[in-house]
């Protein structure tokens, strides 16, 4: 089980939102690259970046901050003689040219959310053009998918879209329960497991992580196909220690496979 620190970018700063509301943003750092280095030092094995301005604008808005983070990731790998930590990025990515530019810059996985729901042909083309690099982000409330920075409900069922996008060749699905995101009220385990059981591609859980109990609960069901969990407010406010939580997840994974 991968614990993946989230670095949400708004106006060049690292922030956290409550339930996707841009007006309810807490700034945790004015230097996202320094924050990325902090999580790498804490043992992060993947980073999750979101261009929040881009998600609302429909085009990249925090590219300079993303590139600064990638520079830190590359330097960290060189300094420690390790392979580069994968970085996944979502928010405002709506065309193949943008995907190619980010992959060339060093991003490992591109997350397509709103554009996947509104323009499934674009997601299909992206999976074909960049196999192994495309993750779909499904943000849902009560089983229905939301779009446009969560401001609109689509009416599509999460599982129906997940099966459709799996057939396109997505690498994984990031599943966010938007009713819980940024609220630290616990992960929606039931809905996450239900989705994981419906598809064969890995699921990355998101939204609601509060403490080690949430990590342990996810580890207990990881064999259903849950590969990782994105951690945001919990690691920034200190209710979850990233380093010890990842070690605990490793321990549980080893025990489960023994």
């Amino acid at each position: 089980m991968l614990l993946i620190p989230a670095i949400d970018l708004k106006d060049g700063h690292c922030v956290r939102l409550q339930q996707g509301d841009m007006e309810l943003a807490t700034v945790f750092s004015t230097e996202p690259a320094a924050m990325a280095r902090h999580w790498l030092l804490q043992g992060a094995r993947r980073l999750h970046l979101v261009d929040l301005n881009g998600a609302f604008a429909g085009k990249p808005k925090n590219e300079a901050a993303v590139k600064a983070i990638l520079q830190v990731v590359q330097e960290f790998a060189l300094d420690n003689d390790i392979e580069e930590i994968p970085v996944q990025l979502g928010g405002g990515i709506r065309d193949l040219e943008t995907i190619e530019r980010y992959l060339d810059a060093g991003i490992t996985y591109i997350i397509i959310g709103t554009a996947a729901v509104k323009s499934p042909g674009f997601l299909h083309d992206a999976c074909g053009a960049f196999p192994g690099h495309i993750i779909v982000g499904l943000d849902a409330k009560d089983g229905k998918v939301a779009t446009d920075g969560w401001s609109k409900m689509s009416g599509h069922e999460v599982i129906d879209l997940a099966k459709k996008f799996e057939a396109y060749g997505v690498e994984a699905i990031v599943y966010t329960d938007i009713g819980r995101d940024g609220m630290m009220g616990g992960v929606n385990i039931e809905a996450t497991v239900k989705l994981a059981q419906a598809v064969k591609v890995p699921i990355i859980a998101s939204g609601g992580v509060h403490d080690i109990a949430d990590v342990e609960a996810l580890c207990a069901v990881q064999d259903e196909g849950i590969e990782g969990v994105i951690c945001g407010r919990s690691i920034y406010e200190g209710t979850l220690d990233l380093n010890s939580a990842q070690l605990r997840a490793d321990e549980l994974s080893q025990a489960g496979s023994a």
Side-chain angles (χ1 to χ4, degrees):
M1 176 71 62
L2 274 179
L3 273 62
I4 310 171
I7 300 177
D8 289 359
L9 301 166
K10 179 177 184 277
D11 306 330
H13 298 158
C14 172
V15 307
R16 292 303 295 164
L17 306 184
Q18 289 185 20
Q19 297 180 313
D21 190 336
M22 288 286 268
E23 299 303 315
L24 298 176
T26 305
V27 176
F28 283 105
S29 174
T30 56
E31 296 184 28
M35 187 57 72
R37 183 168 179 78
H38 170 74
W39 297 130
L40 292 173
L41 289 167
Q42 288 292 309
R45 297 172 196 165
R46 187 185 292 196
L47 296 177
H48 175 81
L49 313 185
V50 181
D51 181 345
L52 292 170
N53 302 103
F56 284 88
K59 58 185 177 182
K61 290 290 185 180
N62 284 283
E63 207 161 341
V66 170
K67 287 182 176 176
I69 289 169
L70 289 172
Q71 176 93 21
V72 163
V73 170
Q74 289 157 7
E75 288 171 358
F76 186 83
L78 285 171
D79 291 346
N80 292 277
D81 196 24
I82 58 171
E83 285 191 20
E84 261 181 49
I85 303 296
V87 180
Q88 58 193 47
L89 168 70
I93 298 167
R94 305 281 195 270
D95 58 67
L96 298 180
E97 185 182 331
T98 301
I99 295 174
E100 186 170 26
R101 189 168 74 247
Y102 272 133
L103 292 177
D104 286 346
I107 292 292
T108 315
Y109 303 108
I110 294 292
I111 303 168
I112 301 175
T114 293
V117 180
K118 291 187 159 184
S119 310
F122 165 59
L123 179 68
H124 188 272
D125 290 346
C127 288
F130 309 104
H133 293 283
I134 305 299
I135 292 174
V136 71
L138 294 178
D139 306 326
K141 189 174 184 179
D142 302 325
K144 303 283 187 185
V145 174
T147 62
D148 299 277
W150 305 350
S151 61
K152 298 175 184 173
M153 298 305 295
S154 71
H156 292 291
E157 294 284 343
V158 171
I159 287 176
D160 291 345
L161 281 185
K163 287 180 175 177
K164 178 179 177 180
F165 297 155
E166 177 181 39
Y168 288 0
V170 297
E171 185 69 10
I173 296 169
V174 173
Y175 173 63
T176 305
D177 183 326
I178 63 177
R180 301 191 183 215
D181 188 74
M183 305 305 287
M184 299 199 302
V187 178
N188 190 336
I189 299 283
E190 184 183 353
T192 306
V193 168
K194 190 177 175 186
L195 177 59
Q197 290 173 337
V199 294
K200 292 184 178 65
V201 294
I203 302 298
I204 298 171
S206 174
V209 172
H210 176 61
D211 56 24
I212 194 67
D214 293 312
V215 174
E216 291 173 341
L218 278 167
C219 286
V221 294
Q222 68 180 356
D223 288 347
E224 300 291 350
I226 301 166
E227 176 182 79
V229 58
I230 293 166
C231 305
R233 190 172 287 272
S234 58
I235 57 173
Y236 285 93
E237 295 194 350
T239 59
L240 183 72
D241 179 79
L242 180 69
N243 185 264
S244 59
Q246 183 64 71
L247 292 173
R248 176 64 175 148
D250 293 346
E251 185 183 297
L252 291 170
S253 296
Q254 287 162 5
S257 61

